[in-house]
Amino acid sequence: MAERERIANYFAALSAAEPGSFLLTDDAALLTSPPGQSIVITTDSVIAGIHLPVDAKPHHFAQKLVRRNLSDLAAMGAVPWRYLLNLHTPPGLGDDWIAQFAAALAEEQRLFGMVLVGGDTTSSEAPIHFTLTCLGLANDTTLRRNGAYVDDDVYVSGTLGDAAYALYQLQHNMAIEEALFQRYVAPTPRLELGQMLVGIATSAIDISDGLLADLSQLLQASKVGANLVRDILPLHPYVANIIAKDANAWRFPLSGGDDYELLFTASPEQRTRIEAIAQAVQLPLTRIGIITSALGITLRDAKGEIIPLPELGWEYR
Ligand SMILES: [Mg+2]
């Protein structure tokens, strides 16, 4: 099917709720943000063989592509609004595949309240490479990475290392724990949490490259350091069980990627409010450490012994 037909058949309907998209028939879209709101823009890609297995299903591509982007909006405290989509597909990818992808995208739009307003499709021999540019809305204030103060508490949402362990299972042809696999292919962007933290958290970042790597980014932006206690990191029971058998498995929650949880800092005066937010969003928010004037990350175990830091970041991809 020709590019124009694919757009008309599968993607035009996804743009119907935004008149300024012109049903994807013009050269560009024309958008007006709601009065008093700023537009927050982010972009991210999903490449077969890097961010998902080459044989992942069409709906996995739709979910991961959308949610990776939305996690960045969550980290800013923004609300999803509109998006643009660039598809680079190998010629062998049939219309069935595209139809399933578009159907999954429609479901993601419905779940997160977004509308497609433009994009591009090309065909080449390279593996599937999709890029989404997401526009969110925010009031004057957004969350930023650079506001952490000395003595602030350091928090993390949800559990860490689930997706990294699922990927490890995939790569080693092990039986995959379904709950962890879902965390890998369809992470839940912490949008509601991010929005509720505006005005309460002093800084925030989403964890995409691993706890230590992303905390390090936040600390550098804020020009501070942190003391962390490894043994209080929030873990899925399955990951906790693996760690109980093999301490090397601490690498999954510490430096595995793809968590898409929020890491944030707040003054100790906000503890009661943050507990209330945890209740409201029905998500554990765990206090894992404290901000220090000494730069860098100091990691300790439950006994207070310092643990030498492993390489930060992507080493387990
Ligand atoms: Mg991010």
Side-chain angles (χ1 to χ4, degrees):
M1 197 179 285
E3 178 185 345
R4 208 168 290 182
E5 282 175 15
R6 265 191 177 171
I7 292 169
N9 288 351
Y10 303 123
F11 296 103
L14 302 185
S15 70
E18 169 54 66
S21 72
F22 311 120
L23 291 173
L24 313 180
T25 56
D26 216 312
D27 293 298
L30 185 61
L31 300 181
T32 308
S33 65
Q37 301 221 271
S38 301
I39 296 178
V40 182
I41 306 176
T42 184
T43 190
D44 234 322
S45 299
V46 167
I47 302 171
I50 295 179
H51 304 101
L52 280 177
V54 285
D55 59 350
K57 301 276 190 288
H59 68 274
H60 293 148
F61 279 91
Q63 290 170 332
K64 189 128 193 196
L65 182 65
V66 166
R67 293 162 186 228
R68 268 166 72 80
N69 271 272
L70 291 185
S71 182
D72 281 328
L73 286 191
M76 301 295 284
V79 178
W81 185 51
R82 301 288 182 259
Y83 70 100
L84 298 121
L85 181 65
N86 280 35
L87 303 178
H88 300 265
T89 53
L93 207 65
D95 289 333
D96 269 5
W97 199 102
I98 295 292
Q100 287 175 45
F101 173 78
L105 210 52
E107 176 61 13
E108 293 297 290
Q109 281 197 193
R110 195 190 60 74
L111 267 178
F112 297 112
M114 303 194 300
V115 184
L116 177 64
V117 295
D120 184 36
T121 69
T122 50
S123 180
S124 74
E125 292 297 337
I128 290 174
H129 182 149
F130 295 166
T131 301
L132 195 138
T133 301
C134 198
L135 287 70
L137 297 175
N139 297 323
D140 296 347
T141 339
T142 58
L143 297 171
R144 295 283 314 278
R145 295 177 179 185
N146 64 355
Y149 293 107
V150 173
D151 294 335
D152 276 355
D153 293 323
V154 180
Y155 290 88
V156 71
S157 67
T159 53
L160 300 177
D162 307 9
Y165 189 66
L167 180 61
Y168 177 85
Q169 288 181 312
L170 265 180
Q171 288 172 337
H172 292 80
N173 296 317
M174 296 158 69
I176 295 175
E177 198 64 22
E178 181 59 23
L180 302 189
F181 180 69
Q182 282 304 315
R183 295 266 293 149
Y184 173 60
V185 290
T188 305
R190 303 305 187 189
L191 288 156
E192 208 186 350
L193 172 62
Q195 290 155 24
M196 292 182 90
L197 288 174
V198 174
I200 290 177
T202 50
S203 70
I205 188 170
D206 69 315
I207 306 178
S208 52
D209 296 346
L211 172 68
L212 294 176
D214 288 310
L215 175 60
S216 177
Q217 295 287 323
L218 183 148
L219 297 175
Q220 283 173 37
S222 296
K223 301 186 172 62
V224 290
N227 282 341
L228 289 195
V229 184
R230 182 192 66 180
D231 301 33
I232 57 176
L233 293 183
L235 304 173
H236 186 284
Y238 197 88
V239 175
N241 192 32
I242 302 299
I243 287 173
K245 290 182 200 148
D246 175 10
N248 284 323
W250 274 113
R251 67 185 189 272
F252 298 115
L254 283 170
S255 49
D258 279 335
D259 288 309
Y260 301 108
E261 294 295 344
L262 290 189
L263 173 68
F264 62 96
T265 59
S267 155
E269 288 165 21
Q270 301 286 2
R271 283 179 190 176
T272 314
R273 274 192 185 161
I274 288 168
E275 279 168 29
I277 291 174
Q279 290 284 330
V281 298
Q282 299 199 327
L283 189 65
L285 301 178
T286 309
R287 193 145 43 87
I288 60 169
I290 194 162
I291 295 294
T292 60
S293 56
L295 301 181
I297 300 171
T298 307
L299 185 67
R300 289 187 166 80
D301 65 14
K303 292 180 208 144
E305 300 282 329
I306 290 184
I307 303 157
L309 292 182
E311 273 295 287
L312 300 186
W314 285 107
E315 54 183 316
Y316 305 106
R317 288 243 135 199

